[in-house]
Amino acid sequence: LLNRFRALVTPGTKMELYFSMGDSDEVSIGIFYIDRANVAYPDEKVSVSSRNAIGKLLKEQTFNEDNTFEEGSLIDNMTAIMQLAEVEDFFVGDAGKAWKLRFEPDVSILDGLKRVISLLPGWKVDETQSGKVGVGASTDPRFEQPGVYTFERDKTCWSYSVEYDDSDAASRVCVTCGDPELRVYADVPQSRWWVQPSHRTLFVTAADGATLAEVTSMANDLAESLSISGRLESFVGVFTPQLTLGDEVHIIDENDDEEIVGTITDVTHNFGKGGFYTSFSVDSGGRKAKARLSDLIGKASDTPNTNGVEIY
């Protein structure tokens, strides 16, 4: 990536990363856009930092004067937004809405999309490992759904540490809503790790407009997550480039017993002269198809923010 005087990669360069060993199939690690490039002589090294398309194309750009979208359907208007951002590969779900959109010129394209989909329950903006940006329902099969990966202690997973934290320990959960006025309690099942304080209650405020059924479901989900939260395990294992955030991890111990450890919250892939291995952290409060405790609290109190966008 070097010539005599400068790097051949500069900010804005698109970088596609794939990994294979021997005759194995290529595994896509992602598509990124370079922010910074550093050249070192006489070491003849180039180091770069980069972001994916969401970070580079959607988060950095604003609508400016191209801020009104008046096609007949929401899917057409969001498609026009993705084309405005010059995203090469994307998909947009169909919400069945005929919304026209107008944004303040200084609103970033990513914020604009997030403010629109905050009014569409269960929708998200995400990017696949192959670099395709999607706007649609979380269950849309075009999004990569969480996977399940199994490691064996001392074989495919050889280093680990455990951190315990009872800062979220509680015996009850109370979810309230201001409009309409609702208050629902749920008892936390006995913790797997310690005895909860008998009079400690976690209070969470739900967004206005929540129904009694929604508030009750939030309280029950939070109570269940509280009972298994508080344990964060960190592992180092065999190089697993397809491992990503949200995947579920199972561990097989020396007695061949298999345990569901939790959901991956942090992952780092190391490959090159320093060796080939993957380090990752697993949150006990997460299970497949169930959000982490912090996600559930955030979801409950997430009031749609439509400042800077007009929907008509």
Side-chain angles (χ1 to χ4, degrees), residues 10-273:
T10 55
T13 300
K14 180 181 176 181
M15 179 171 61
E16 301 183 16
L17 293 182
Y18 300 89
F19 178 82
S20 65
M21 293 184 69
D23 297 329
S24 69
D25 294 335
E26 289 184 340
V27 175
S28 173
I29 298 179
I31 296 178
F32 306 92
Y33 296 83
I34 292 175
D35 288 321
R36 179 190 59 81
N38 182 53
V39 181
Y41 294 99
D43 298 336
E44 296 186 345
K45 292 181 180 179
V46 177
S47 61
V48 300
S49 63
S50 59
R51 287 180 288 168
N52 61 10
I54 288 179
K56 190 69 174 177
L57 301 180
L58 298 185
K59 188 176 181 180
E60 277 196 349
Q61 301 189 93
T62 51
F63 285 98
N64 303 327
E65 68 274 12
D66 300 314
N67 60 341
T68 302
F69 303 87
E70 298 185 322
E71 297 295 332
S73 65
L74 178 61
I75 185 173
D76 290 337
N77 287 321
M78 287 201 289
T79 296
I81 291 173
M82 301 295 278
Q83 292 171 340
L84 172 67
E86 299 181 353
V87 178
E88 295 182 13
D89 196 5
F90 67 88
F91 66 86
V92 176
D94 189 357
K97 305 289 186 180
W99 293 349
K100 298 178 181 180
L101 307 172
R102 182 179 297 116
F103 302 89
E104 291 297 324
D106 61 344
V107 172
S108 76
I109 294 177
L110 179 59
D111 279 346
L113 287 171
K114 285 184 174 180
R115 293 171 188 180
V116 173
I117 65 175
S118 69
L119 302 174
L120 300 171
W123 275 52
K124 67 176 182 178
V125 182
D126 205 352
E127 185 169 345
T128 67
Q129 282 191 286
S130 62
K132 179 176 287 189
V133 178
V135 182
S138 300
T139 55
D140 191 311
R142 290 173 289 185
F143 285 122
E144 293 164 341
Q145 301 302 316
V148 178
Y149 293 90
T150 301
F151 296 87
E152 294 183 75
R153 291 198 192 277
D154 301 324
K155 294 182 180 179
T156 58
C157 183
W158 53 81
S159 174
Y160 106 159
S161 63
V162 184
E163 176 185 340
Y164 293 92
D165 182 0
D166 74 345
S167 59
D168 290 324
S171 55
R172 300 183 80 192
V173 172
C174 179
V175 179
T176 62
C177 181
D179 184 17
E181 292 188 9
L182 298 171
R183 183 183 299 271
V184 174
Y185 286 91
D187 292 328
V188 176
Q190 183 175 354
S191 173
R192 295 178 57 185
W193 318 118
W194 43 67
V195 177
Q196 305 100 314
S198 58
H199 297 290
R200 184 173 180 181
T201 302
L202 173 67
F203 288 90
V204 177
T205 302
D208 289 344
T211 65
L212 177 60
E214 289 172 336
V215 170
T216 301
S217 177
M218 291 175 191
N220 291 332
D221 287 343
L222 282 168
E224 182 181 349
S225 287
L226 276 174
S227 68
I228 59 175
S229 67
R231 175 177 167 129
L232 183 68
E233 299 188 58
S234 299
F235 298 86
V236 176
V238 295
F239 185 59
T240 313
Q242 65 272 32
L243 199 67
T244 190
L245 302 182
D247 287 340
E248 181 177 314
V249 171
H250 294 200
I251 296 292
I252 298 176
D253 62 21
E254 61 276 4
N255 298 319
D256 292 331
D257 294 326
E258 185 170 334
E259 176 190 6
I260 302 175
V261 181
T263 301
I264 293 179
T265 58
D266 181 75
V267 60
T268 302
H269 302 297
N270 298 274
F271 52 100
K273 293 180 179 180

